[in-house]
């Protein structure tokens, strides 16, 4: 019999770009996680007797919340929970399990690329039956419920043993403990030419993969080492509650150890990393860092080399701040390209409707219609498939892509943990000045990005200030929706260069003028007190 526990609403349980992310200490307050989970269940209808997938990236507090979520799923009337062994599932693997099992939805426990440990971050998000992050109409409903909640349902039981694969009964519900990797690894083998990749490794091709002490270590070991035969190529491959002190954000700053190895002249030919929950990816070759925007464009242009995409792709979608490089590929392929707000949830309808096959974001996310999340290991396998078929270096592939399409120089400057009020003022001032930008200093249009979903007509506004220049260059300002302390101002800067002679200029140098303009237009120094960005990618 379930228990009804009295509770009171907490302020600020509003899901951000990707679920609710807060400090672990916030989640540790009595009833905090339970309130949010109950608000999720109260926003859904028709799940009695159905299946819920539960898993997380193994970060600190994951084991406790997995148990709470399982008890509450049983008390709320689910018929079956599928949980990764030890409570572990990468985000794309969770998405796949939802789809494969026709589950009603899933609860994913992760704060993604944010640091873990007792002083780190934790997060909870709900994914719907298509395997993708809940759309805004559901996250809005969840937030509304968090403001009025007075009770939640749970069971008064011991923790369930989820260390062993198999079935356990809990009240009227079956808890099915599954291997977190097997189904996902099987899916990957249906998408890519594993024989060709195996041959590539046999030929002596060297690669390093950085699991960053997070969830993808076991996936990488099984897929790259056991199945594909790459020898001892996984670094930081054991998922740890604090990620071994790593900040599991796969970029040049936080994956420095890997980048130093691969960028060295005698380093491996290829390097890759993934984040806390396995949905982001970093791609790097000897002498060549591939920006996520370029990676998306190159994947779109070469997808047909992989068996699952051999018939061609239906369309490409990118988030608005992602560079326009992928649009050029779509144009050449004669397929549509879509520009959505930041957040993988905005790709869901396009993928479900078969309008886009490949999607990507500047924030190190790339994926396809095989699941409804971005997928780090998928992106690495796609690159391996391309490398195996083309037998050229990463550098050659990237440079020949620029030769064919032109180069979209691109950088993102982040100002982290800025005072929230000051960051809001900066954005507010930009919004107020919007009408005055166009027609001056080469700026053609200025707007606050809004999006009407072409499938369900839903409308989203205030998604970032966008200055577009006559020559196609862009400066974009927005506040991150994934941070947990203060505000993070993101400034995205892009410039198109058709002239091959100018392609080898260092990115920050090529963009120096625009960076200067971006700083002065928003008066970043005066408004934030910062003289330089915290992270440049
Ligand atoms: C999440 C979302 C992505 C988004 C990214 C950055 O990724 O799923 O779609 O691009 O956050 O968002 P923001 O710029 O608002 O911080 P992840 O990997 O953190 O789940």
């Amino acid at each position: 019999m379930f228990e009804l526990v009295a509770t009171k609403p907490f302020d600020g349980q509003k899901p951000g770009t990707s679920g609710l992310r807060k400090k672990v200490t916030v989640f540790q307050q009595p009833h905090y996680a339970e309130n949010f989970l109950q608000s999720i269940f109260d926003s859904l209808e028709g799940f009695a007797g159905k299946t819920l997938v539960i898993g997380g990236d193994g970060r600190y507090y994951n084991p406790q919340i997995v148990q709470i979520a399982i008890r509450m799923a049983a008390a709320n009337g689910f018929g079956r929970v599928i949980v990764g062994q030890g409570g572990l599932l990468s985000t794309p693997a969770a998405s796949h399990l939802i789809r494969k099992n026709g589950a009603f939805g899933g609860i994913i426990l992760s704060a993604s690329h944010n640091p873990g440990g007792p002083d780190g971050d934790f997060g909870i998000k709900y994914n719907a039956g298509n395997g993708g992050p809940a759309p805004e109409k559901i996250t809005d409903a969840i937030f509304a419920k968090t403001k009025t909640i007075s009770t939640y349902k749970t069971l008064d039981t011991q923790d369930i043993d989820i260390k062993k694969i198999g079935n356990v009964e809990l009240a009227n519900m079956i808890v099915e403990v599954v291997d977190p990797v097997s189904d996902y690894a099987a899916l990957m083998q249906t998408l890519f030419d594993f024989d060709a990749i195996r041959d590539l490794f046999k030929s002596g091709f060297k690669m390093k993969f950085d699991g960053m002490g997070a969830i993808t270590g076991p996936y990488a070991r099984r897929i790259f080492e056991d199945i594909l035969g790459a020898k001892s190529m996984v670094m930081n491959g054991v998922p740890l509650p604090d990620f071994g002190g790593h900040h599991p954000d796969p970029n040049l700053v936080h994956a420095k150890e890997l980048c130093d190895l691969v960028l060295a002249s005698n380093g491996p030919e290829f390097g890759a990393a993934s984040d806390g929950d396995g949905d982001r990816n970093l791609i790097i070759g000897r002498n060549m860092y591939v920006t996520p925007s370029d990676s998306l464009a190159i994947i779109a242009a070469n997808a047909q080399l992989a068996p699952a995409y051999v018939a061609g792709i239906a369309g490409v979608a990118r988030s608005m701040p992602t560079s326009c490089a992928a649009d050029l590929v779509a144009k050449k392929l004669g397929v549509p390209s879509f520009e959505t707000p930041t957040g993988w949830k905005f790709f869901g309808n396009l993928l479900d409707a078969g309008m886009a096959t490949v999607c990507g974001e500047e924030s190190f996310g790339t994926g396809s219609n095989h699941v409804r999340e971005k997928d780090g290991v998928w992106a690495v396998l796609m690159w391996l498939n391309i490398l195996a078929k083309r037998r050229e270096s990463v550098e050659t592939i990237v440079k020949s892509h620029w030769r064919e399409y032109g180069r979209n120089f691109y950088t993102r400057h982040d100002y982290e943990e800025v005072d929230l009020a000051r960051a809001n003022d900066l954005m507010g001032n930009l919004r107020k000045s919007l009408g005055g930008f166009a027609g001056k200093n080469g700026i053609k249009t200025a707007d606050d990005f809004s999006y009407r979903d072409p499938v369900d007509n839903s409308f989203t506004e205030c998604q970032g200030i966008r200055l577009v220049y006559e020559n196609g260059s862009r400066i974009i300002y927005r506040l991150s929706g994934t941070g947990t302390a203060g505000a993070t101002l993101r400034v995205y800067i892009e410039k198109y260069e058709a002239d091959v002679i100018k392609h080898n200029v260092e990115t920050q140098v090529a963009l120096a003028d625009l960076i200067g303009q971006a700083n002065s237009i928003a008066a970043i120094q005066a408004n934030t007190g910062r003289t330089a960005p915290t992270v440049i990618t």
Side-chain angles (χ1 to χ4, degrees):
M1 217 16 222
F2 67 80
E3 288 192 316
L4 210 51
V5 180
T7 186
K8 288 201 182 98
F10 288 90
D11 281 340
Q13 290 198 321
K14 184 173 169 51
T17 308
S18 188
L20 182 69
R21 291 192 190 162
K22 299 282 178 196
K23 293 277 171 217
V24 166
T25 47
V26 173
F27 271 100
Q28 283 171 326
Q29 299 172 86
H31 310 310
Y32 189 89
E34 289 89 340
N35 274 19
F36 190 69
L37 288 165
Q38 188 65 50
S39 300
I40 293 175
F41 297 142
D42 288 347
S43 308
L44 308 172
E45 275 172 17
F47 57 76
K50 301 228 165 112
T51 300
L52 184 72
V53 171
I54 299 178
D57 61 12
R59 67 179 56 227
Y60 187 84
Y61 216 43
N62 196 78
Q64 290 86 337
I65 302 288
V66 168
Q67 294 289 342
I68 289 172
I70 293 173
R71 280 192 202 103
M72 288 183 66
N76 277 275
F78 278 94
R80 179 168 72 139
V81 151
I82 299 175
V83 60
Q85 189 179 18
L88 298 181
L89 281 178
S90 79
T91 292
S95 179
H96 176 51
L97 282 178
I98 295 170
R99 295 167 66 76
K100 178 172 180 262
N101 292 285
F104 187 86
I107 301 284
I108 299 182
L109 309 174
S110 170
S112 186
H113 56 290
N114 295 10
D119 301 321
D121 293 346
F122 194 80
I124 300 180
K125 75 169 173 174
Y126 175 69
N127 278 31
N130 71 346
E136 278 189 328
K137 64 173 187 303
I138 297 183
T139 54
D140 289 348
I142 295 170
F143 181 45
K145 296 281 181 196
T146 66
K147 292 195 262 190
T148 56
I149 188 166
S150 58
T151 54
Y152 63 82
K153 289 182 198 162
T154 188
L155 298 177
D156 184 14
T157 54
Q158 298 286 311
D159 281 358
I160 303 134
D161 182 3
I162 53 171
K163 287 191 209 83
K164 278 200 305 287
I165 289 171
N167 288 357
V168 190
E169 271 178 44
L170 178 68
N172 294 327
M173 193 177 83
I174 300 289
V175 179
E176 191 180 331
V177 183
V178 300
D179 173 56
V181 181
S182 299
D183 286 313
Y184 177 83
L187 172 68
M188 291 301 116
Q189 290 175 76
T190 67
L191 304 177
F192 299 109
D193 189 339
F194 269 50
D195 287 337
I197 302 173
R198 222 174 264 123
D199 286 347
L200 178 73
F201 284 122
K202 265 195 216 139
S203 73
F205 177 87
K206 297 268 181 318
M207 166 181 175
K208 277 277 173 204
F209 178 87
D210 191 347
M212 305 192 90
I215 191 74
T216 48
Y219 292 83
R221 287 231 159 94
R222 181 91 58 88
I223 295 170
F224 302 135
E225 295 185 350
D226 300 348
I227 302 177
L228 287 169
K231 300 272 178 294
S232 10
M233 50 87 90
V234 178
M235 310 158 48
N236 304 309
V238 179
L240 298 167
D242 66 348
F243 306 126
H246 288 102
H247 182 156
D249 195 355
N251 60 34
L252 295 174
V253 176
H254 298 304
K256 189 170 182 314
E257 190 189 351
L258 171 83
C259 294
D260 287 349
L261 262 176
V262 181
L263 291 174
S265 54
N266 58 351
E269 285 97 330
F270 185 54
S274 190
D275 68 330
D277 61 330
D279 57 3
R280 296 186 175 208
N281 71 91
L282 167 75
I283 299 294
I284 188 159
R286 193 183 280 160
N287 297 319
M288 178 56 71
Y289 155 65
V290 189
T291 69
S293 295
D294 277 349
S295 179
L296 171 65
I298 291 167
I299 285 175
N302 291 276
Q304 281 181 280
L305 297 174
Y309 312 94
V310 78
I313 55 175
V316 183
R318 63 167 174 84
S319 65
M320 181 274 282
T322 303
S323 98
C324 302
D327 302 6
L328 303 174
V329 175
K331 198 168 170 206
K332 191 154 192 176
L333 292 174
V335 299
S337 56
F338 299 91
E339 184 176 45
T340 63
T342 295
W344 204 262
K345 59 190 170 211
F346 293 104
F347 294 137
N349 280 344
L350 297 171
L351 291 165
D352 286 349
M355 294 163 78
T357 307
V358 173
C359 307
E361 296 187 280
E362 50 66 39
S363 54
F364 295 82
T366 337
S368 86
N369 57 356
H370 67 288
V371 289
R372 293 294 180 272
E373 288 279 2
K374 55 191 188 281
D375 188 342
V377 170
W378 174 91
V380 179
L381 284 167
M382 177 60 102
W383 265 94
L384 283 170
N385 199 127
I386 295 169
L387 291 162
K389 294 285 183 176
R390 288 184 51 165
R391 294 290 175 133
E392 291 170 317
S393 70
V394 173
E395 187 178 8
T396 304
I397 290 171
V398 172
K399 288 191 169 164
S400 63
H401 186 90
W402 292 341
R403 252 197 316 280
E404 185 173 351
Y405 294 91
R407 177 172 180 187
N408 293 71
F409 280 99
Y410 188 83
T411 191
R412 185 178 98 186
H413 287 199
D414 290 338
Y415 297 81
E416 295 174 324
E417 297 191 29
V418 172
D419 178 75
L420 184 59
R422 290 176 85 172
N424 281 332
D425 282 351
L426 181 150
M427 292 300 290
N429 291 339
L430 284 171
R431 284 199 172 95
K432 272 189 235 141
S433 318
L434 267 181
F437 290 126
K440 289 184 202 137
N441 305 316
I443 297 174
K444 187 172 161 198
T445 58
D447 65 357
D448 192 352
F449 182 66
S450 61
Y451 177 68
R452 186 165 299 280
D453 185 295
V455 178
D456 68 6
N457 224 22
S458 55
F459 185 68
T460 311
E461 54 192 346
C462 296
Q463 293 294 323
I465 303 293
R466 181 168 64 160
L467 309 180
V468 183
Y469 286 69
E470 297 287 351
N471 63 4
S473 292
R474 302 192 305 162
I475 297 174
I476 292 146
Y477 305 91
R478 60 179 282 282
L479 298 185
S480 158
T482 56
T484 57
T488 295
L489 170 68
R490 303 207 195 282
V491 187
Y492 313 80
I493 297 148
E494 172 181 9
K495 175 181 152 187
Y496 179 73
E497 180 58 72
D499 185 352
V500 180
I501 309 288
K502 296 183 184 153
H503 283 174
N504 290 331
V505 179
E506 201 276 321
T507 301
Q508 300 302 313
V509 174
L511 295 173
D513 281 355
L514 279 171
I515 292 170
Q517 287 178 47
N519 291 347
S520 68
I521 288 170
I524 291 177
Q525 187 166 347
N527 279 318
T528 64
R530 301 289 176 79
T531 51
T534 343
V535 177
I536 295 180
T537 50

